[in-house]
Amino acid sequence: MRPPHWAIRWVGSLRMDWHRGDIEGVLQDCYRHGISLYRLQVRGSHCQVETLLTDFPKVYSLCRVHGVKIHFIEKYGFPFWLRWLRKRPSFLLGFGMFALLLLVLQSMIWQVSVSGVQNEDLKLAIVQAAQETGLYPGAPRSRFANVDWLQTALLKKMPRLLWVGITVDGSTANVEAIEKIPPSLSVQTTPRDIVAAKPAVVAKVFAIRGTAKVFPGQIVHPGQVLISGALANGDQQVPATGKVLAEVWYTSRVEVPLHVPLTGLTGQSVVRDYLKVGNWRVRLWGFAQPRYAGELTREQQSSWQIGHWQLPLQWEQVRVYEVQSSTFARSEQIARVMALQLVTQDVLSQPGGEKEILGQSVLQPTIAHGKLYVTVLTRTEENIGAYAPIHLPQGKNSDNGPGA
């Protein structure tokens, strides 16, 4: 019986040519002693056979007993490779130094990037502040296992920033920042009205500045003046301020699939490590070839550089995940709940500011082609006011005309 391939590679194997003597007697004794022989080929008075290195002392003893001569054809496995290395200490030393160099380079930060801000001067200032706090190309990566202290130090050095987040991915550090927005100091002085932006039924009127032109329970139409900036007979004009809460109706038509294809990871994966030089790469680890029905591949590559010069030698890790597809069936009740949730999100995202959902009604539910089709009526309470240039009744004017 042939041993597993990994056992042959790890333990080592010998392929031999037996000649002279009692070859049949050797084969029978090997069988009685449980010695594994494989790839057996008999050609006249010669017999080619392969055995594990650990079984060779027993095979050698039996060959001597039966007068069989041994000629080695092939030596394979880790022990012979290790023996080859021992005869070449310079190669072993070079390989060790290369591995040590890779380990040292992987344990350092080689690139610092800034995201979240558009101002180039501010990006340079953040990079300079990060260098002063200890984050710079060539810094040891072990210092940034916990980056809370670094984020606090950056916020103290950069008062223009509202928030700073630092993530370390391999040999790359990314500084994500949000800049403070200065408050607007402008004051509205241009006269204006507040008009209805959409058809609705008025619920509450809050006129802070100006004259209310509608009352609760009144139906209004788009463009209708709600709070006027004209005081008295229009002789004085002010910028109208306030809000009008009204009940607004939305009609939404939604379709929800009842059968949803799902794709998920099974948890099985293989990792492959490559040494990359330019566009050429060689695999150093991960030689398994799994037969996955579906795969998801994610690549992660180092970014080693000296100063601003990126090294041509990089380390790349590829992880292949097994992906399994399935189909999830929704009930009609769950599909209705999802339809209401989708409509709620859509209504709340409509322009007009904050909204409060007062109620929803599902009309005309229909199932066809594997989907649920519904019409949903949604009642909301929201501020329907919009600013518009001031409007005066015809004949009213602040000028007295020529000859006044």
Side-chain angles (χ1 to χ4, degrees), residues 16-31:
M16 302 166 288
D17 178 69
W18 294 346
H19 56 280
R20 301 182 184 177
D22 185 10
I23 296 177
E24 184 178 353
V26 175
L27 293 175
Q28 292 177 355
D29 286 348
C30 288
Y31 178 77

Side-chain angles (χ1 to χ4, degrees), residues 2 39 112 125 134 177 182 215 228 264 338 403-404:
R2 181 183 176 91
R39 294 179 63 186
V112 179
F215 52 86
S228 175
M338 289 191 62

